[in-house]
Amino acid sequence: MKKVIAIMVVLTLALTIVSYGTDSAKGGSVAKGEGFKIDVPTFDVKVKQGETQSVTIKLQRGESFKQDVKMEIVTAKGGISVSPEKVLVKASDKPEVELTITVPKEAALGEYKVSVKGTPTTGEPTSVEFTVKVIAPDAGYTVKSDSDKGGSTAKGEGFKIAVPTFDTKIKQGETQSVTISLERGESFKQDVTLEIKLFKGKGLTFEPAKVVVKASDAADVQIMITALKDANLGEYKVSVMGTPTTGEPTSTTFNVKVVAP
């Protein structure tokens, strides 16, 4: 992840790298072409502790909807800030609104819900939410988890495991932290047991090597990886298996590269 990641919250716009597509219910008027919707990111916006990212949201206007819309952006709990918190999108303005999300260095790791409410001059307001995930500075995730789906095959009932996209480099005799994340379906409320081990061979140790991520816990888990002083130089494949309380387990791997001191 780069120091400044774009988290565009344009009410229907897509971020340069990833597309948007989660819509609000219709606001304004129910008459054909008279209403509007709010479009926000479909993915969890990931921001590192101590960094800032921009996101764009977009208004989807009906062809006959010519009203101003007041946008209000609120985080469900403290820990991150969003600017601006209020903005008036005039009928003559472009429908995109760029938000800046700032995460303090001491912010707790985990997920934060951001609510976006749109109120027209006349008619019904509408609102929608998206998720900001605060991760550790050294965390690097795949855009989408590369594990198979675990849990249930029913929509929203499963989970995946996200791991670093890069080869984690560790010197012989040293320790480094890596963050692993659970990507939960919206209806997946189970505990998941994560087991971390070498795919084969020896030379690395993990702490914890086994951890239960409860349904109420943050989705991110920090693992301390230690390369033994006599570990062979080269690449090691690390396996991460996630087993839910009920349903199918899933697993994925990432690489650790041991280098000389």
Side-chain angles (χ1 to χ4, degrees), residues 54-67:
S54 67
V55 169
T56 307
I57 311 167
K58 187 177 180 180
L59 283 177
Q60 291 185 6
R61 296 178 177 274
E63 57 186 12
S64 304
F65 183 78
K66 307 299 181 185
Q67 296 185 43

Side-chain angles (χ1 to χ4, degrees), residues 59-168:
L59 283 177
Q60 291 185 6
R61 296 178 177 274
E63 57 186 12
S64 304
F65 183 78
K66 307 299 181 185
Q67 296 185 43
D68 298 347
V69 176
K70 182 174 67 176
M71 305 294 300
E72 296 178 89
I73 299 91
V74 179
T75 54
K77 61 179 180 178
I80 66 174
S81 63
V82 181
S83 179
E85 296 179 348
K86 293 183 179 181
V87 60
L88 181 65
V89 184
K90 295 185 177 181
S92 57
D93 290 345
K94 291 182 178 181
E96 292 86 12
V97 176
E98 187 169 304
L99 304 181
T100 300
I101 299 176
T102 301
V103 175
K105 290 182 179 178
E106 67 279 5
L109 300 179
E111 295 183 349
Y112 296 78
K113 292 291 184 183
V114 178
S115 171
V116 182
K117 182 179 182 180
T119 305
T121 305
T122 60
E124 294 299 314
T126 187
S127 61
V128 67
E129 288 186 342
F130 68 95
T131 302
V132 173
K133 183 177 286 187
V134 175
I135 61 176
D138 60 353
Y141 294 108
T142 51
V143 174
K144 290 186 178 180
S145 171
D146 57 1
S147 78
D148 295 324
K149 187 178 177 184
S152 169
T153 57
K155 185 177 181 181
E157 286 292 334
F159 72 99
K160 291 185 176 184
I161 303 170
V163 293
T165 59
F166 52 85
D167 287 350
T168 302

Side-chain angles (χ1 to χ4, degrees), residues 14-243:
L15 188 65
T16 339
I17 303 177
V18 238
S19 61
Y20 293 71
T22 299
D23 290 342
S24 72
K26 187 178 178 184
S29 170
V30 294
K32 185 176 180 181
E34 285 292 333
F36 73 99
K37 291 184 178 182
I38 303 171
D39 204 26
V40 295
T42 58
F43 56 88
D44 290 349
V45 177
K46 295 185 175 81
V47 189
K48 295 178 181 179
Q49 291 168 316
E51 295 190 356
T52 298
Q53 188 168 316
S54 67
V55 169
T56 307
I57 311 167
K58 187 177 180 180
L59 283 177
Q60 291 185 6
R61 296 178 177 274
E63 57 186 12
S64 304
F65 183 78
K66 307 299 181 185
Q67 296 185 43
D68 298 347
V69 176
K70 182 174 67 176
M71 305 294 300
E72 296 178 89
I73 299 91
V74 179
T75 54
K77 61 179 180 178
I80 66 174
S81 63
V82 181
S83 179
E85 296 179 348
K86 293 183 179 181
V87 60
L88 181 65
V89 184
K90 295 185 177 181
S92 57
D93 290 345
K94 291 182 178 181
E96 292 86 12
V97 176
E98 187 169 304
L99 304 181
T100 300
I101 299 176
T102 301
V103 175
K105 290 182 179 178
E106 67 279 5
L109 300 179
E111 295 183 349
Y112 296 78
K113 292 291 184 183
V114 178
S115 171
V116 182
K117 182 179 182 180
T119 305
T121 305
T122 60
E124 294 299 314
T126 187
S127 61
V128 67
E129 288 186 342
F130 68 95
T131 302
V132 173
K133 183 177 286 187
V134 175
I135 61 176
D138 60 353
Y141 294 108
T142 51
V143 174
K144 290 186 178 180
S145 171
D146 57 1
S147 78
D148 295 324
K149 187 178 177 184
S152 169
T153 57
K155 185 177 181 181
E157 286 292 334
F159 72 99
K160 291 185 176 184
I161 303 170
V163 293
T165 59
F166 52 85
D167 287 350
T168 302
K169 292 182 181 179
I170 308 179
K171 295 179 181 179
Q172 289 170 314
E174 294 191 354
T175 299
Q176 186 170 317
S177 66
V178 166
T179 304
I180 297 169
S181 180
L182 285 181
E183 295 182 350
R184 296 178 177 272
E186 56 186 12
S187 304
F188 183 77
K189 309 298 182 184
Q190 296 186 44
D191 297 349
V192 176
T193 301
L194 289 178
E195 295 181 83
I196 300 93
K197 61 183 180 181
L198 276 176
F199 192 73
K200 63 179 180 178
K202 57 182 181 179
L204 302 178
T205 62
F206 309 96
E207 179 59 40
K210 187 174 184 179
V211 59
V212 177
V213 184
K214 295 185 177 180
S216 57
D217 289 346
D220 299 312
V221 177
Q222 285 196 321
I223 305 297
M224 305 303 293
I225 302 178
T226 300
L228 303 179
K229 289 183 178 180
D230 57 353
N232 292 329
L233 301 180
E235 290 187 354
Y236 294 75
K237 194 173 288 292
V238 178
S239 170
V240 183
M241 174 172 276
T243 304

